[in-house]
Amino acid sequence: MLNKVLIANRGEIAVRVIRACRELGIQTVAVYSDLDRDALHVRLADEAYALGGQTAAESYLNTEAILDAIERSGADGVHPGYGFFSENADFARAIIESGTTKWIGPPPEAIEVMGDKISARLAAERVGVNGVPGTTDLITDPEQVRTFGEEHGWPVAIKAAYGGGGRGMKVVQGPGDVESALESAQREALAYFGRDECYMERYLTWPRHIEMQIIADAHGNCVWVGERDCSAQRRHQKLIEESPAPNFPDEIRQAMGEAAVKVAKGCNYVNAGTVEFLYQDGEFYYLEMNTRLQVEHPVTEMVTSIDLVREQIRVAAGEPLSFTQDDIVRTGHSIECRINAEDPAGGKFLPSPGRITALTVPQGFGTRWDGGYEAGDEISQYYDNLVGKLVVWGSDRETARLRMLRALDELEVEGVATTAPADVAILSHPDFAAGEHSTKWVEETLDLSGVGAAPAAGASADGDEAEPKVRRDVDVEVNGRRFSVSVFVPESQLAVAASGTGKAAGAGRPKRAGGSAAGGAAAGAGKVTVPMQGTIVKVVVEEGQEVAEGDTVVVLEAMKMENNIAADKAGTVKAIKVAVGDSVGAGDIVVEIE
């Protein structure tokens, strides 16, 4: 068994791995960016190492910094979580080639085959598992998309070849939307996965998204653990997942499980992974394989009583699976709600970064909370916006559904808006209760007009933020040995020290910086504001251009998602206040229209 595991990740998945390691008697090592210095995963780990930087590229995607932390800590295992380096073959290979550290994930060769969605499609076809009609050619010209759409019908899905989780995926409704959709997909793919190659396939009209959890060891054993229905989505990203899938024929379940094992064995897969399918009209189509642990793995754990993270660690240490296919028994029903820092008012799901000022999580029979934050922690615009996962188990689906509604009623999150009100709307709808929803259902059928706007994100009740800290380098002496260390001190304490008094002038928590009116409260008609902090990735209009109300004027990236910012009235663009690459805050004016 391993002795010390470094978790190359952050948030709730880092916390999840730390807890599994503790139960196995394994020491844990956290890594952190400048913004995550006081994060929950850092507080829980036995050791923690600074990566520096703020953005993902500067920190959690900084290969050199993470490899240095592995060497300095002496970790003999690395768990990548999901996202970041979890599906990066070069990073996995660097860990394995070190000779001293176990990679808690699949072989780099399997990551390479399945990480490229085109080669993954070909690999599945070689073992007799067919995907949605599409092309294996990378898109180099928008005309390719138009030709494909005319041949196979619209809409067409443009997808990141090295992506997943809905990032870098855009649906093209017709030939006139091709250029903008392709550009947006490529930008998102590059920002989130570091590569912008895209391909395309037919977009099914009313499918269900059903995925199969598999796990394999290095001794030739590979099993399918069970399926999950992840059809409640918006922007192709999951909101609610459940296991088992409702209204799902057992013969399809068996066939899908066997197909998933074929795909895994076909690429010599080892460790945990998920094979995703689309299911429509009694047929299922291979979609992709995620060569990592999935966000929604807890629902599988709840119905099987199998700790998938524990099993991952055992497999990486060279041990065989602790169970066979025949040993797996699925009992009851489990539902998971992703609690994201997004404002679902009106179905917009706008990112809502900020500080969590209060957090009360539900308790009770069959109720589980996997969280990465506590009250006082900050949800940054630079990372994924998942606050935590609320998971319940029930003896049957209806019991689980009602238990989740009870748990959501108990959940309290203040300071940021969350998707919890949308989860309630989904779970309460007769379509969901009957298991008759699809991946299109949230955006095309569910009415979220009654979901009210949340309070301004990131602010406490009096509009203040937590006091910022300032770095100071000092020398200390421990047992006669001198060390140079960095400490992070609240600004008010520095003011106290400088004044030599017991209280700084004007002491108290500083007001929100920036001077912009949150949510554009001070902006009048024709002054287009952004609803959240983020980065401008595209300016669509020019000064002097005529625009109609609702036309996109700029594109804002926040929490790795692109958001179109629209004109609030028809008129002529008078002034453009931002440029590509600019950082903006909630309420900042980006375009003026007269």
Side-chain angles (χ1 to χ4, degrees):
M1 185 55 72
L2 302 177
N3 296 307
K4 183 185 288 188
V5 169
L6 181 144
I7 300 94
N9 217 298
R10 65 179 301 280
E12 67 85 18
I13 187 57
V15 172
R16 169 75 180 91
V17 176
I18 288 169
R19 287 171 172 158
C21 288
R22 279 188 171 182
E23 293 169 9
L24 288 167
I26 298 171
Q27 288 188 304
T28 56
V29 181
V31 291
Y32 60 91
S33 67
D34 289 347
L35 296 177
D36 277 343
R37 186 174 296 109
D38 299 318
L40 180 59
H41 74 283
V42 176
R43 302 196 294 266
L44 289 179
D46 296 302
E47 302 175 26
Y49 291 80
L51 300 174
Q54 297 186 76
T55 68
E58 295 167 343
S59 54
Y60 299 102
L61 290 174
N62 185 334
T63 305
E64 185 176 336
I66 294 178
L67 292 177
D68 180 63
I70 294 169
E71 182 178 357
R72 290 164 59 200
S73 67
D76 58 355
V78 173
H79 196 300
Y82 50 73
F84 296 136
F85 279 135
S86 63
E87 295 179 283
N88 186 300
D90 291 337
F91 183 74
R93 191 172 284 114
I95 300 299
I96 295 170
E97 290 178 352
S98 71
T100 59
T101 308
K102 297 290 186 181
W103 168 249
I104 306 175
E109 296 76 16
I111 297 176
E112 285 174 331
V113 170
M114 292 302 169
D116 177 344
K117 304 308 178 188
I118 296 172
S119 66
R121 183 187 183 96
L122 294 173
E125 290 175 354
R126 282 195 295 269
V127 295
V129 180
N130 295 319
V132 177
T135 176
T136 55
D137 297 325
L138 293 176
I139 302 171
T140 58
D141 188 322
E143 196 58 37
Q144 293 172 259
V145 183
R146 293 192 183 91
T147 301
F148 182 87
E150 294 303 323
E151 179 181 351
H152 295 278
W154 302 95
V156 172
I158 296 176
K159 305 178 75 172
Y162 295 91
R167 308 287 190 183
M169 175 178 172
K170 299 296 174 182
V171 178
V172 189
Q173 300 295 337
D177 301 326
V178 172
E179 278 86 358
S180 60
L182 179 57
E183 289 176 7
S184 182
Q186 290 173 330
R187 278 197 306 270
E188 279 193 3
L190 186 62
Y192 206 75
F193 306 109
R195 300 187 64 164
D196 65 358
E197 296 94 327
C198 292
Y199 70 106
M200 58 192 158
E201 64 187 24
R202 175 189 166 201
Y203 191 62
L204 298 180
T205 56
W206 198 255
R208 290 169 62 186
H209 184 138
I210 297 180
E211 60 190 29
M212 189 64 66
Q213 175 72 57
I214 63 97
I215 189 164
D217 62 27
H219 302 274
N221 304 305
C222 182
V223 302
W224 59 274
V225 185
E227 88 283 1
R228 299 182 286 256
D229 189 313
C230 309
S231 301
Q233 305 178 5
R234 52 81 184 89
R235 294 179 177 175
H236 315 293
Q237 295 189 30
K238 302 160 187 173
L239 286 166
I240 296 178
E241 303 99 352
E242 57 183 314
S243 184
N247 303 330
F248 194 56
D250 191 59
E251 61 271 20
I252 298 293
R253 177 179 292 107
Q254 296 291 330
M256 186 180 286
E258 292 168 4
V261 169
K262 284 182 181 180
V263 170
K265 287 186 173 181
C267 65
N268 299 313
Y269 198 86
V270 175
N271 217 272
T274 298
V275 184
E276 302 197 345
F277 299 89
L278 292 178
Y279 173 68
Q280 181 174 297
D281 300 327
E283 300 287 338
F284 65 87
Y285 306 91
Y286 169 77
L287 183 61
E288 63 184 11
M289 184 175 188
N290 288 313
T291 54
R292 54 173 168 79
L293 194 69
Q294 292 279 87
V295 178
E296 57 272 21
H297 74 273
V299 294
T300 299
E301 294 180 327
M302 295 289 268
V303 297
T304 62
S305 298
I306 294 173
D307 185 332
L308 290 171
V309 177
R310 179 188 181 97
E311 208 66 27
Q312 279 190 294
I313 295 169
R314 294 182 70 260
V315 166
E319 299 181 25
L321 291 176
S322 62
F323 53 87
T324 67
Q325 189 70 65
D326 292 338
D327 292 330
I328 300 172
V329 177
R330 290 171 286 276
T331 305
H333 198 95
S334 182
I335 299 175
E336 172 182 293
C337 289
R338 299 192 189 191
I339 307 301
N340 296 306
E342 296 178 29
D343 191 340
K348 294 181 179 179
F349 292 99
L350 295 176
S352 178
R355 186 172 302 279
I356 300 173
T357 56
L359 175 62
T360 302
V361 300
Q363 301 181 49
F365 183 82
T367 306
R368 167 177 168 177
W369 171 259
D370 280 22
Y373 299 89
E374 293 179 336
D377 292 341
E378 183 87 13
I379 308 289
S380 170
Q381 64 157 316
Y382 294 114
Y383 313 125
D384 188 85
N385 58 16
L386 181 64
V387 179
K389 303 177 305 196
L390 183 56
V391 191
V392 301
W393 177 90
S395 56
D396 54 37
R397 185 172 188 265
E398 182 62 6
T399 301
R401 186 182 72 88
L402 295 174
R403 181 163 290 148
M404 179 60 82
L405 284 169
R406 182 272 302 168
L408 286 166
D409 186 58
E410 292 182 10
L411 176 68
E412 294 182 4
V413 184
E414 296 180 7
V416 296
T418 76
T419 50
D423 295 329
V424 172
I426 293 169
L427 289 156
S428 302
H429 197 284
D431 288 353
F432 184 89
E436 296 175 350
H437 57 298
S438 83
T439 59
K440 315 288 185 67
W441 177 79
V442 168
E443 294 177 330
E444 295 183 4
T445 302
L446 184 67
D447 182 7
L448 291 174
S449 60
V451 176
S460 63
D462 59 1
D464 296 345
E465 287 189 337
E467 184 176 359
K469 295 181 179 180
V470 179
R471 172 174 171 159
R472 288 293 181 265
D473 296 323
V474 298
D475 295 330
V476 297
E477 189 174 286
V478 180
N479 293 331
R481 183 178 176 183
R482 182 186 176 94
F483 294 89
S484 294
V485 300
S486 298
V487 294
F488 295 85
V489 185
E491 286 182 343
S492 61
Q493 291 188 19
L494 292 178
V496 171
S499 66
T501 66
K503 186 175 182 180
R509 298 172 65 195
K511 295 294 182 181
R512 189 177 183 89
S516 297
K527 296 184 183 296
V528 182
T529 63
V530 292
M532 81 290 284
Q533 66 187 86
T535 303
I536 301 297
V537 296
K538 185 175 184 180
V539 177
V540 180
V541 297
E542 300 176 348
E543 289 187 7
Q545 180 178 333
E546 296 293 323
V547 294
E549 183 179 351
D551 283 354
T552 299
V553 293
V554 301
V555 180
L556 174 75
E557 181 193 276
M559 294 176 166
K560 302 300 180 184
M561 295 175 64
E562 290 193 357
N563 303 269
N564 292 334
I565 307 302
D568 62 349
K569 74 169 188 176
T572 303
V573 176
K574 176 184 177 182
I576 299 173
K577 302 289 189 179
V578 293
V580 172
D582 285 354
S583 295
V584 294
D588 283 356
I589 299 172
V590 293
V591 172
E592 292 184 357
I593 300 169
E594 63 178 4

